[in-house]
């Protein structure tokens, strides 16, 4: 029994990502979210459940602008099941590579790091689920492909267990 428990713990720890934003510091093209998301951006995405099955799809329009030194990103989602969501991010650049973000459905402060072509954003988000809101954790990665295209991959967890994945394709207008 001890060995089985050790094997399960080893597999769980080994399955955790060791990817760090700094790993991408020498990659191109460089992403600065306050530049890439400035103006209009379109997005298409899918949400996959734990099994990998696509549960929902969406399209979105985004618009970024500055209010003083704050970067404001307005996101408007249209889900395939008819749900509409809007989120207004207020993002502050803390240093050359770090950011903080806030939105009305984000619990606390989102922490962001940008190196090379990669941007990582971690935050707790309240999402609608069966007539209530539940808290989930987002581990969000955006990789800039060229001046127009970026791809986002997010792992969504609850109590440390994966509940789904979000894949998003962005196109800057």
């Amino acid at each position: 029994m001890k060995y089985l428990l050790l094997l399960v713990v080893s597999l769980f720890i080994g399955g955790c990502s060791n990817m760090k934003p700094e790993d991408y510091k020498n990659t191109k093209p460089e992403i600065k979210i306050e530049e890439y998301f400035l103006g209009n951006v379109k997005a298409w995405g899918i949400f996959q459940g734990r099994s990998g099955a696509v549960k929902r799809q969406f399209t979105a329009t985004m618009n970024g602008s500055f209010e003083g030194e704050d970067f404001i990103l307005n996101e408007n989602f249209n889900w395939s099941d008819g749900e509409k969501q809007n989120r207004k991010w207020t993002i502050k650049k803390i240093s050359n590579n770090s950011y903080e973000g806030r939105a009305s459905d984000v619990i606390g402060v989102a922490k962001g790091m940008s190196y090379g072509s990669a941007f990582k954003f971690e935050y707790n988000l309240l999402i609608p689920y069966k007539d209530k809101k539940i808290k989930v954790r987002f581990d969000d990665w955006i990789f800039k492909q060229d001046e127009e295209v970026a791809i986002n991959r997010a792992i969504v967890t609850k109590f440390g267990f994966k509940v789904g994945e979000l894949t998003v394709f962005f196109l800057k207008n």
Side-chain angles (χ1 to χ4, degrees):
M1 186 67 167
K2 238 190 317 188
Y3 295 111
L4 181 60
L5 182 60
L6 182 61
L7 177 63
V8 170
V9 170
S10 296
L11 289 173
F12 179 75
I13 291 171
C16 295
S17 173
N18 293 324
M19 207 163 66
K20 299 182 299 286
E22 297 87 348
D23 295 341
Y24 299 92
K25 66 182 173 188
N26 296 320
T27 60
K28 301 282 183 209
E30 185 177 38
I31 188 168
K32 296 290 182 190
I33 59 164
E34 69 275 20
E35 294 173 9
Y36 181 78
F37 287 102
L38 185 62
N40 296 315
V41 175
K42 289 184 181 178
W44 298 263
I46 58 172
F47 178 78
Q48 296 168 268
R50 279 186 296 211
S51 70
V54 174
K55 300 291 186 181
R56 298 176 82 192
Q57 295 177 271
F58 69 87
T59 60
T61 57
M62 302 173 180
N63 181 273
S65 61
F66 281 94
E67 288 181 8
E69 292 187 16
D70 292 341
F71 183 66
I72 308 299
L73 182 61
N74 289 297
E75 301 174 322
N76 300 296
F77 297 90
N78 293 301
W79 290 89
S80 56
D81 60 9
E83 182 184 357
K84 295 188 183 312
Q85 287 179 315
N86 300 302
R87 180 171 299 111
K88 179 181 178 181
W89 284 100
T90 300
I91 301 170
K92 292 182 184 293
K93 190 168 187 173
I94 303 304
S95 70
N96 192 43
N97 301 97
S98 67
Y99 296 81
E100 289 184 350
R102 289 180 169 74
S104 62
D105 54 354
V106 171
I107 299 170
V109 179
K111 300 290 185 181
M113 295 293 292
S114 181
Y115 284 90
S117 62
F119 178 78
K120 179 181 170 97
F121 219 20
E122 291 181 303
Y123 52 94
N124 293 313
L125 184 70
L126 287 174
I127 61 168
Y129 182 74
K130 295 184 179 179
D131 297 327
K132 59 182 178 180
K133 295 204 179 215
I134 62 169
K135 180 174 89 169
V136 294
R137 178 89 176 150
F138 268 74
D139 184 8
D140 229 336
W141 287 84
I142 300 173
F143 293 92
K144 188 175 177 186
Q145 303 299 300
D146 60 31
E147 293 309 307
E148 295 176 341
V149 175
I151 299 171
N152 177 214
R153 178 81 186 258
I155 303 297
V156 183
T157 58
K158 176 99 177 134
F159 303 122
F161 295 98
K162 181 172 139 182
V163 295
E165 296 179 29
L166 192 69
T167 305
V168 185
F169 171 84
F170 297 109
L171 181 62
K172 186 169 177 61
N173 295 345

